[in-house]
Amino acid sequence: MAFESLASKLQETFKKLRSKGKLTEKDVKEAMKDVKIALLEADVNYKVVKDFINKVNEKAVGQEVLESLTPGQQVIKIVHNELVELMGKTNTHINFASKPPTVIMFVGLQGSGKTTTCGKLAANIKKQGKRPLLVAADVYRPAAIKQLQVLGQNLDVPVFTMGNNINPVDICKNSINEAGRIGSDVIIIDTAGRLHIDDEMMNELKEIKEAVKPHEVLLVVDAMTGQDAVNVAQNFNEQIGIDGLILTKLDGDTRGGAALSIRAVTGKPIKFVGTGEKMDALEPFHPDRLASRILGM
Amino acid sequence: RFNKELNSEFYEELEEILILSDVGVDTTQKIIEQLKKDIRLRGIKTSDECKQLLKEILIQFLIENQDEFVITSPTVITVVGVNGVGKTTTIAKLASKYKAAGKKIILAAGDTFRAAATEQLEIWGQRLNVDVIKHKEGSDPSAVIFDAINASKARGADILICDTAGRLHTKTNLMNELSKIKKVIDREYVDAQKEVFLVLDATTGQNALQQVKIFREATDITGIVLTKLDGTAKGGIVVAIKSEFKFPIRYIGIGEQADDLQEFNAQDFVNALLDF
Ligand SMILES: Nc1nc2c(ncn2[C@@H]2O[C@H](COP(=O)(O)OP(=O)(O)OP(=O)(O)O)[C@@H](O)[C@H]2O)c(=O)[nH]1
Ligand SMILES: Nc1nc2c(ncn2[C@@H]2O[C@H](COP(=O)(O)OP(=O)(O)OP(=O)(O)O)[C@@H](O)[C@H]2O)c(=O)[nH]1
Ligand SMILES: [K+]
Ligand SMILES: [Mg+2]
Ligand SMILES: [Mg+2]
């Protein structure tokens, strides 16, 4: 099913059903199969889709839909509203500490966009008149420190590093002193990418968290992620505890259904979305836009 | 975990397994239909036999066009893909593998865009003791490739492996850059075997199909590398890709180290995907 065609597909389905005479509850349920396929094609998790469809079914079989001249549109409207509801209210603010420095820690799978997004958030926060400090706590990936340093240099934001022969927990601890020394009020920690099933690496995050007591732990998720997104998010949330999500690479043509799954299993707000590789490509999250995108509208 | 009988609930469970592995709705339906047909033909009655049959069907999908990968000397391998899928790391793994097989390797730092991309490849080059040809950040990637081809000829390299910047397939100008790189290779390295590996991240969902579709237009993909199979993602999207595009799947990535690369094996892949 092509993306833009859910609306017309539904209209088509209902037209066929209507030709039998009056629309029934069963007819709406039949049409919900189209919705189910659309959500699955958008990468919303299978189980999340199932729950969602069951919930929406009840609302969609109301008289309003059955007697409407455009039942397809009505169903889409209901589905859209429910998706927006599920994705939660707009909440794109960072919880700044009443007593600086605010500590923000980025976590996520390999290649999700953490380092780049650290830079973007530093740029964003600097614009608000604050003085961010970037902390290079990825001692594993080749040239990860250099990557952050280049971004910091371009943004004119200081980068704290102790090289890659020091334990990341110690690097993070020391960054607090450094922030005090140079007068930074926001500490942004870039951690190494890791798998949610890598116990040793997950323990490292727990230790960093314990050591620096961050005000925000942000999980960075690639918007192209498929069904596995729920496992990743659930694991990071249960093991580390996250405060919010950042969805990257939304500048492509992915429909981003993974966001819905993650939101459904963690209940944590999506705070920002990444829409490019440049440092200004960070935008506040709009639930309604993502709902439309997931439905291919 | 299965019902005794082959009823609709049973098929729904299979559907769930396939979709949860990112096989996608269309391909899942195609597979289930094929399964039902074969069950009738063979008179299969038990769910165990049925599971076995499902494996066979998936393997059939995956072994199509999986000719043996032979490298002649000289060969140029260009590695392409969207952002962060594991291109640069895969290059290090390939270099390590081919070097161990006695080949002389040169790497081209064709990602002149991302911060410290060149340094990342250089560190791998040092670790593996392999030459890396590079330019300054922001320079024309085709020029790097051009120089790397000349270096390969001069130094008698067997295999030149070219890194490229991550790019979303929807960015036309960046995709044109890939076509330009291809032109330089075709023109400057006439006698070389040309390979283009598209790297896909196993965590990726249905968008991977779109990636293949559009990368294929910008360059001549000759193989696929599926990375990050060491996580919990199954990489089922390659089943859909295989059924639509037939590109051989060359390697899988199973970690971040130089030796975390394996040749793709359909049987192992299906066993991991179905987990029964
Ligand atoms: N198009 C696009 N690319 C992005 C976005 N965010 C990050 N990237 C790119 O994604 C790739 C990976 O980004 P990184 O910031 O290195 O990811 P990471 O999570 O730090 O990676 P590791 O440290 O290896 O785990 C790079 O090529 C980035 O330029 C985005 O919003 N859009
Ligand atoms: N777990 C795991 N991580 C991998 C694998 N392959 C690569 N990575 C990691 O994924 C991250 C991104 O890898 P890169 O090789 O930098 O990816 P890339 O495609 O070159 O990224 P860009 O050049 O920014 O587009 C790094 O942290 C790698 O260590 C793999 O097979 N398994
Ligand atoms: K990724
Ligand atoms: Mg990083
Ligand atoms: Mg790279």
Side-chain angles (χ1 to χ4, degrees):
Chain A
M1 194 195 302
F3 298 169
E4 34 326 307
S5 66
L6 178 62
S8 50
K9 175 98 208 272
L10 278 178
Q11 215 56 56
E12 194 60 34
T13 305
F14 277 114
K15 214 160 92 192
K16 241 185 278 157
L17 295 170
R18 197 195 289 281
S19 64
K20 303 186 309 190
K22 212 170 162 327
L23 279 180
T24 65
E25 282 189 23
K26 204 167 144 262
D27 294 341
V28 174
K29 285 200 172 138
E30 188 65 26
M32 289 303 277
K33 280 187 190 153
D34 293 340
V35 176
K36 179 180 161 190
I37 291 173
L39 293 176
L40 288 174
E41 285 185 337
D43 290 321
V44 182
N45 181 269
Y46 187 83
K47 293 179 176 136
V48 174
V49 170
K50 249 180 145 174
D51 289 348
F52 181 80
I53 294 288
N54 284 338
K55 208 175 108 206
V56 177
N57 247 331
E58 284 160 30
K59 301 209 173 184
V61 295
Q63 288 305 309
E64 239 174 276
V65 172
L66 297 181
E67 283 163 17
S68 154
L69 287 174
T70 54
Q73 250 103 353
Q74 294 296 321
V75 167
I76 290 213
K77 211 173 109 195
I78 292 168
V79 170
H80 188 270
N81 289 345
E82 287 296 315
L83 284 182
V84 173
E85 180 80 6
L86 193 63
M87 269 181 299
K89 301 261 170 328
T90 321
N91 174 9
T92 59
H93 69 273
I94 292 290
N95 291 314
F96 289 111
S98 47
K99 194 169 146 271
T102 300
V103 180
I104 304 169
M105 180 176 160
F106 277 73
V107 301
L109 290 185
Q110 290 96 341
S112 53
K114 293 173 297 301
T115 308
T116 308
T117 311
C118 280
K120 291 180 185 179
L121 190 66
N124 176 297
I125 281 175
K126 193 177 172 220
K127 260 206 204 126
Q128 299 175 35
K130 299 195 182 289
R131 293 177 307 280
L133 171 68
L134 286 163
V135 178
D138 177 357
V139 300
Y140 310 102
R141 169 171 165 170
I145 298 174
K146 181 73 188 176
Q147 186 184 0
L148 197 66
Q149 282 174 323
V150 170
L151 297 179
Q153 203 163 36
N154 294 342
L155 296 167
D156 199 19
V157 166
V159 176
F160 179 68
T161 154
M162 296 175 75
N164 53 14
N165 288 320
I166 305 279
N167 184 328
V169 183
D170 293 328
I171 296 174
C172 294
K173 270 188 205 156
N174 278 295
S175 74
I176 310 268
N177 295 333
E178 175 71 0
R181 196 181 68 79
I182 64 171
S184 287
D185 48 12
V186 184
I187 294 175
I188 300 174
I189 300 175
D190 180 29
T191 64
R194 67 201 71 214
L195 291 174
H196 51 290
I197 49 169
D198 185 336
D199 291 340
E200 203 178 312
M201 290 296 281
M202 291 303 272
N203 273 332
E204 180 192 280
L205 287 183
K206 284 180 208 165
E207 283 174 33
I208 295 177
K209 191 175 174 188
E210 184 56 36
V212 299
K213 307 259 180 325
H215 305 88
E216 291 269 7
V217 179
L218 299 175
L219 176 68
V220 179
V221 183
D222 186 326
M224 295 179 272
T225 312
Q227 297 287 322
D228 197 43
V230 290
N231 297 328
V232 175
Q234 217 155 18
N235 267 283
F236 271 95
N237 193 34
E238 279 166 12
Q239 295 189 52
I240 315 301
I242 61 172
D243 300 296
L245 306 155
I246 297 186
L247 202 61
T248 61
K249 310 181 199 174
L250 260 180
D251 43 326
D253 58 0
T254 184
R255 288 170 65 194
L260 188 74
S261 318
I262 295 175
R263 172 70 214 194
V265 298
T266 65
K268 301 298 178 188
I270 300 166
K271 298 213 166 188
F272 294 98
V273 299
T275 55
E277 296 190 72
K278 302 239 171 76
M279 287 299 105
D280 57 359
L282 187 72
E283 297 175 13
F285 171 65
H286 297 287
D288 52 332
R289 281 191 210 162
L290 193 61
S292 300
R293 185 179 178 126
I294 288 171
L295 290 175
M297 294 157 65
Chain B
R1 76 176 280 191
F2 285 112
N3 302 300
K4 294 251 158 44
E5 294 154 75
L6 306 181
N7 54 20
S8 68
E9 229 168 275
F10 171 77
Y11 288 114
E12 208 171 295
E13 279 180 58
L14 289 185
E15 178 191 275
E16 176 172 345
I17 291 172
L18 291 171
I19 287 179
L20 278 173
S21 314
D22 292 312
V23 171
V25 177
D26 276 354
T27 312
T28 295
Q29 277 167 1
K30 209 156 120 185
I31 290 167
I32 301 275
E33 267 161 40
Q34 178 76 42
L35 182 69
K36 286 180 177 168
K37 210 172 91 192
D38 289 2
I39 283 172
R40 273 197 308 273
L41 278 174
R42 300 201 204 171
I44 282 173
K45 298 234 159 40
T46 70
S47 57
D48 272 346
E49 284 174 296
C50 183
K51 285 189 253 177
Q52 230 19 66
L53 186 57
L54 177 61
K55 278 189 184 175
E56 279 172 42
I57 290 171
L58 283 170
I59 291 169
Q60 280 312 318
F61 263 99
L62 288 167
I63 59 173
E64 207 184 327
N65 250 4
Q66 288 289 127
D67 57 326
E68 201 197 333
F69 185 49
V70 186
I71 295 191
T72 53
S73 186
T75 287
V76 190
I77 304 175
T78 312
V79 178
V80 303
V82 300
N83 308 83
V85 288
K87 293 175 292 300
T88 308
T89 311
T90 297
I91 288 170
K93 294 173 182 176
L94 291 171
S96 166
K97 180 182 174 66
Y98 299 144
K99 190 164 184 254
K103 308 283 184 197
K104 182 170 170 57
I105 316 290
I106 287 188
L107 305 181
D111 180 356
T112 58
F113 178 77
R114 210 209 62 222
T118 296
E119 285 86 345
Q120 184 186 0
L121 194 68
E122 270 188 298
I123 291 177
W124 279 117
Q126 282 158 15
R127 284 188 192 170
L128 301 169
N129 198 15
V130 164
D131 290 351
V132 177
I133 306 300
K134 59 162 186 179
H135 283 191
K136 280 205 306 285
E137 194 181 314
S139 56
D140 179 3
S142 299
V144 181
I145 310 289
F146 180 90
D147 279 359
I149 291 170
N150 285 329
S152 297
K153 288 177 183 168
R155 299 176 203 177
D158 298 302
I159 307 174
L160 166 63
I161 312 178
C162 306
D163 197 6
T164 63
R167 68 200 71 221
L168 294 183
H169 48 289
T170 47
K171 314 246 157 114
T172 317
N173 56 332
L174 296 179
M175 295 308 278
N176 289 340
E177 188 184 274
L178 280 188
S179 312
K180 193 173 157 198
I181 289 175
K182 175 178 148 44
K183 259 186 221 144
V184 169
I185 294 172
D186 286 345
R187 192 183 62 219
E188 301 298 327
Y189 217 169
V190 179
D191 57 339
Q193 173 181 338
K194 280 122 195 140
E195 299 286 337
V196 179
F197 287 172
L198 175 68
V199 179
L200 299 174
D201 180 334
T203 354
T204 310
Q206 301 308 300
N207 191 251
L209 270 171
Q210 217 52 30
Q211 292 170 24
V212 179
K213 230 173 249 175
I214 303 181
F215 268 96
R216 166 181 84 140
E217 288 166 16
T219 188
D220 286 334
I221 300 172
T222 59
I224 285 172
V225 178
L226 186 63
T227 60
K228 308 189 193 175
L229 269 175
D230 46 328
T232 48
K234 305 285 190 182
I237 190 64
V238 299
V239 179
I241 286 169
K242 198 74 191 186
S243 90
E244 194 165 336
F245 300 101
K246 323 280 182 216
F247 292 121
I249 304 162
R250 291 303 182 200
Y251 299 102
I252 60 168
I254 49 162
E256 300 187 75
Q257 303 310 318
D259 56 0
D260 290 327
L261 187 80
Q262 289 178 357
E263 271 165 41
F264 176 77
N265 178 300
Q267 187 139 12
D268 293 347
F269 181 83
V270 168
N271 284 336
L273 187 120
L274 292 178
D275 203 18
F276 52 63

